[in-house]
Amino acid sequence: MIFRDAAGSPEKQIQDIQSLMDNGIDLLIISPDGSGSLDKTLEHVREKIPVVMAGVGSEKDCYTSLIQVDDEKIGRLAGEYILEHLYEEGDRIVVIEGVKGSPISEKRHRGILDATIQSPDFGSMAYDAALALLYGEEADHNLTIEPQLITENK
């Protein structure tokens, strides 16, 4: 088994696919970003070997099998878990999203927001990232991410 991580870059994913094909793989399992940017490459790959898509499908006929999950439910379950086991009144819930514009990230954010909005504390919760993503509101803080550390800048 060979694993590659394109870090959200469709261009890197295409390079990785070409490299893997050059190395004679027998099957490709891929998780595209949902933009359709890999469709043409995957159509060519599918002519030679099976292509299994995980996560987001495609409108094109460029895969052999598709494995999908309910991303909104995953987000909702995460939000419910946070409220039941981790959240205390006054805590800030900060969500660090995946690839910007990714349908998976958007559905998971929608799910976690749906779960947390049900809390009686929601009005006092600071929920920066999902509100900005879903409603176009500006978050009131900037986050700086460093290895092993997330800091809040006012």
Side-chain angles (χ1 to χ4, degrees):
M1 182 182 298
I2 303 169
F3 177 81
R4 297 283 188 264
D5 181 359
S9 167
E11 295 81 15
K12 173 78 167 86
Q13 219 169 12
I14 290 170
Q15 291 172 358
D16 288 344
I17 292 168
Q18 291 169 341
S19 172
L20 292 166
M21 290 299 291
D22 290 344
N23 285 307
I25 62 170
D26 299 308
L27 168 76
L28 178 66
I29 302 173
I30 189 159
S31 182
D33 66 1
S35 69
S37 58
L38 303 178
D39 290 351
K40 189 175 231 177
T41 300
L42 294 175
E43 285 175 336
H44 294 296
V45 170
R46 187 174 174 263
E47 292 172 2
K48 298 177 177 118
I49 62 171
V51 174
V52 177
M53 277 191 173
V56 179
S58 171
E59 293 180 13
K60 302 282 185 180
D61 187 25
C62 59
Y63 57 89
T64 308
S65 295
L66 175 62
I67 301 169
Q68 287 186 305
V69 298
D70 186 339
D71 289 302
E72 196 163 334
K73 184 174 182 179
I74 289 171
R76 189 170 49 257
L77 290 172
E80 290 169 359
Y81 182 87
I82 290 166
L83 289 176
E84 291 174 25
H85 302 285
L86 304 173
Y87 179 77
E88 294 179 15
E89 187 175 346
D91 284 352
R92 294 183 66 82
I93 297 176
V94 178
V95 176
I96 300 173
E97 66 183 52
V99 177
K100 191 160 185 74
S102 161
I104 293 171
S105 292
E106 290 174 3
K107 288 176 185 174
R108 289 185 183 177
H109 276 285
R110 192 172 311 120
I112 198 168
L113 182 60
D114 286 348
T116 55
I117 205 168
Q118 302 303 319
S119 168
D121 291 335
F122 185 78
S124 62
M125 282 182 190
Y127 196 87
D128 296 332
L131 288 174
L133 174 70
L134 294 173
Y135 300 111
E137 296 177 12
E138 290 296 321
D140 63 355
H141 290 73
N142 295 315
L143 293 177
T144 304
I145 301 172
E146 299 174 9
Q148 307 291 318
L149 176 67
I150 300 176
T151 60
E152 192 174 44
N153 302 316
K154 292 188 178 193

